Each structure stands twice: as C-alpha cells, then as structure tokens.
Amino acid sequence: MKNIQKLFLVGIVSSLLIFQNTFAWWWGIAPTWYTDSLKNIADLVKDSETKKIITDNIVSIISNNIQENSDYNIKNFYTKKLKLNVEIPEALKAKIQKAYIGLGVNQQIYYDGMGWGEGWSQVATPLDVTEWINHIKIELKTSEIPWEVLLQREIFNKYIANEYGDSFMGTLYLELMDGTTIPFSNSFYIYIQANTNNWKGQHLQNLYYQENSYNWYANIYDLLKAVFEKIKVGKTTNEYIAVLEKAIDKANEKMKAIESAQKKVTDSIQKEEDFAKFIRAYWATVERFNLLNDIKYNIGSEIKTKQSEGLIEEIFG
C-alpha cells in the first residue's frame, strides 16, 4: 500500500511535469507546431509601424516562453513561481500600453501534426489566443519583463471548481497603443491543487519524500502468517473467520482515529511556514495508517481464502 501511495504522489508530479514538458524546448529550438499561435501575430496589429517592428523581430518573438518553476512549485503550496524567457524589442516598448500574463481556467489548445487524430486537429491562431477568457491577469512592467513571477494561490482559489484542483492556461499579452491585444509568448499550463485538507496532507507527504527518498517496508504477510496459524487452532472455519472480522473492525477504528488526528493537523495549516512544523509528525501518522491498511488487506485476503476453501470442498468433496 505504501508503494502504491508513493507511486501515486510521484505519478501526479511526473504527469504534471510531462504535461508541461510536452510544450518544452528541444535544444533551444521551438517546434513548429508550438509557435503557430505567434508566427502571424502581426496580422492582428492595426498600426503599420508597429506591424513592421513585430514582423522584423518575429524570429525572436516566437521563442518567448513561460514555464513553471517546478523545483519551487513542488516544495510550496501557497505560492507558485513562473519562469519567463521573454524579450520585447526596444522599438516596440513605446507602442505598448500594458503587458500582463493572462490565465484562464481549463483552456484547451491543440495543433495540427501532433498525431492525435482528427479530433485533435484544431490550429490555434493568434486570434484564438486573444479571444480565450482570462480569469486572472498578472500585470508586468513593459520596460523590463522579469525573469520570474511569484503567484499567490488565493488568486486561483475562486476559479477552482474541481475538488482536486484545476489546470490554468496562461500567455503573455501586450495591449498596444493602436487598441489591439496580441499574445506575446507561447502558451503554458499550470495545475493548482484545491485548497483542501486532503491536498495539504499530500503536500506534507511530498515534502517528507523530498528529504527521505528511501523508506523501508514491513513484511506484514510473514508476521500475520504466524498469527493466523496460532488463532485458527481449535476453531471451526466460521469461528476463525469471525475472529478475523473483529480484527478488521479494530483496524478500521484505529484508522478513523488517525484520520481525525490528520484532519486536525491540516486544519491548522494556513500558511507556507506551517508545513515545516508537521512534516515528520504527520508522516508518522501516515506510516501507521498504511501499516494498518496493509494488515487489514492481508486479513481480508485470509478471510477470502478460507471462504474459498469451503466452496472448493463443496465442489470437489
């Protein structure tokens, strides 16, 4: 069970990183399908001088990208960071009214040539990108786009409808003096977990795993095998099963008590600094819960085995 839980946590992180890296750069070169939403942005611009500046600098513009700072984000729950690799040509800066990162909930972006079948063949144009709803806007200074942006998770909370969390798609936008808005970076995704006790508990476990990559596991089966042999002496099959069922009830009671204690911990976590206070203590409850769950599983397996023996005897006896 512990292995499953650890794989589940690692799987979440890995899936998110793989999802983001689907839109990553290979050897510093942006794939053709990735730049489709930027290569024709000059078509959106009304002012001829601004249009020429963009056209003359389109090779560098299509390389503008924003990514998650995964090293930071995996360690922090209440704040997230973005890494910006964005350059605005000097000549264009005088033509800009406003620059911001626009984030929308659960936006989808598809490109031709990705091998996902006809249902995935929509091409994202610059106009598509400008028309996507931006629920969140992070304003930036046009004179100097920062290399990194820190996001507070409360800006996402009211847009998260899913109990697990939601993905947000973001793009850097420029509002120009001629009244047009253009996308100015390739789109990126960021997943924000719901602000729930369950996810705060998962974050505590992730923090523990980051410091303790190796964990040992008890051989529950061998321990229980000896107990089973001792219990079944002098009992009928039904009497033996009844004892095992009572043991499962005891395990369930202990697991509920642990869950209650864990909820008190996660209820008390309200800011980033709170996590550090509980990492090891919370992990101790997780280990105990997982051991009980392993014990319960093996007891349940023993019950099913004994019940199966009775049915087999009826068939072959």
Side-chain angles (χ1 to χ4, degrees):
M1 184 64 188
K2 286 185 183 179
N3 279 319
I4 293 172
Q5 186 172 34
K6 184 168 184 178
L7 287 171
F8 172 72
L9 293 172
V10 172
I12 290 174
V13 174
S14 299
S15 297
L16 296 179
L17 294 178
I18 289 168
F19 189 59
Q20 167 128 350
N21 288 335
T22 302
F23 303 97
W25 310 99
W26 291 292
W27 303 288
I29 301 172
T32 302
W33 54 264
Y34 190 75
T35 61
D36 279 350
S37 62
L38 287 181
K39 67 182 181 181
N40 297 317
I41 58 172
D43 295 343
L44 299 177
V45 180
K46 298 174 184 175
D47 178 67
S48 58
E49 185 179 349
T50 306
K51 187 186 292 283
K52 185 177 186 309
I53 294 170
I54 290 174
T55 302
D56 290 346
N57 292 275
I58 195 63
V59 173
S60 64
I61 290 171
I62 64 175
S63 294
N64 287 341
N65 71 91
I66 301 175
Q67 299 176 341
E68 276 197 75
N69 184 332
S70 55
D71 290 337
Y72 179 90
N73 291 352
I74 197 173
K75 295 176 182 177
N76 291 272
F77 187 83
Y78 286 103
T79 57
K80 301 296 178 183
K81 280 185 179 180
L82 299 175
K83 296 189 291 186
L84 282 64
N85 181 18
V86 173
E87 289 188 18
I88 299 177
E90 285 298 321
L92 184 61
K93 290 179 180 179
K95 307 290 186 180
I96 302 170
Q97 294 189 67
K98 186 185 295 185
Y100 65 88
I101 297 172
L103 290 148
V105 184
N106 285 327
Q107 310 264 17
Q108 296 297 324
I109 181 170
Y110 311 122
Y111 296 93
D112 274 334
M114 293 182 69
W116 292 341
E118 291 184 9
W120 297 79
S121 62
Q122 174 186 345
V123 175
T125 67
L127 185 58
D128 291 330
V129 177
T130 59
E131 290 179 347
W132 283 325
I133 296 172
N134 296 310
H135 298 95
I136 301 166
K137 292 185 178 182
I138 313 297
E139 294 200 16
L140 306 172
K141 290 182 179 179
T142 57
S143 58
E144 186 178 356
I145 299 297
W147 287 102
E148 199 167 56
V149 171
L150 181 69
L151 306 176
Q152 301 294 331
R153 73 163 294 124
E154 57 256 29
I155 66 174
F156 297 98
N157 286 340
K158 70 177 181 179
Y159 300 109
I160 297 176
N162 191 306
E163 63 178 305
Y164 303 106
D166 272 308
S167 61
F168 293 79
M169 192 187 78
T171 304
L172 173 68
Y173 293 92
L174 301 182
E175 291 185 8
L176 304 176
M177 294 294 186
D178 66 4
T180 58
T181 298
I182 59 173
F184 211 69
S185 78
N186 293 290
S187 300
F188 69 94
Y189 284 87
I190 183 169
Y191 189 85
I192 304 297
Q193 299 163 335
N195 189 19
T196 62
N197 283 344
N198 177 60
W199 279 115
K200 285 190 279 188
Q202 294 290 354
H203 188 64
L204 281 166
Q205 293 179 63
N206 281 337
L207 292 173
Y208 182 86
Y209 284 136
Q210 288 162 34
E211 297 176 2
N212 305 272
S213 57
Y214 296 100
N215 291 289
W216 304 105
Y217 304 102
N219 189 338
I220 296 297
Y221 177 76
D222 282 353
L223 291 172
L224 284 174
K225 189 175 180 181
V227 174
F228 292 154
E229 291 299 323
K230 183 177 179 180
I231 292 174
K232 70 173 64 170
V233 174
K235 293 183 178 65
T236 66
T237 297
N238 287 339
E239 289 172 341
Y240 176 51
I241 289 174
V243 173
L244 297 179
E245 288 174 338
K246 287 182 180 178
I248 286 181
D249 290 339
K250 288 181 181 179
N252 283 331
E253 289 175 10
K254 291 181 180 294
M255 291 169 73
K256 286 178 181 178
I258 291 172
E259 288 176 327
S260 178
Q262 289 176 335
K263 184 177 183 302
K264 288 181 180 178
V265 169
T266 51
D267 278 340
S268 69
I269 294 176
Q270 300 298 322
K271 56 185 183 300
E272 205 71 58
E273 296 76 15
D274 293 339
F275 283 102
K277 304 173 187 175
F278 299 106
I279 294 173
R280 291 194 173 277
Y282 191 88
W283 177 251
T285 69
V286 170
E287 279 205 312
R288 186 170 173 79
F289 185 93
N290 289 343
L291 283 170
L292 285 166
N293 204 45
D294 286 350
I295 290 169
K296 191 172 78 168
Y297 172 83
N298 280 280
I299 295 173
S301 180
E302 176 71 2
I303 290 173
K304 286 297 181 185
T305 299
K306 299 311 291 184
Q307 290 172 337
S308 298
E309 285 177 358
L311 288 173
I312 290 171
E313 287 176 4
E314 289 178 15
I315 293 171
F316 293 99

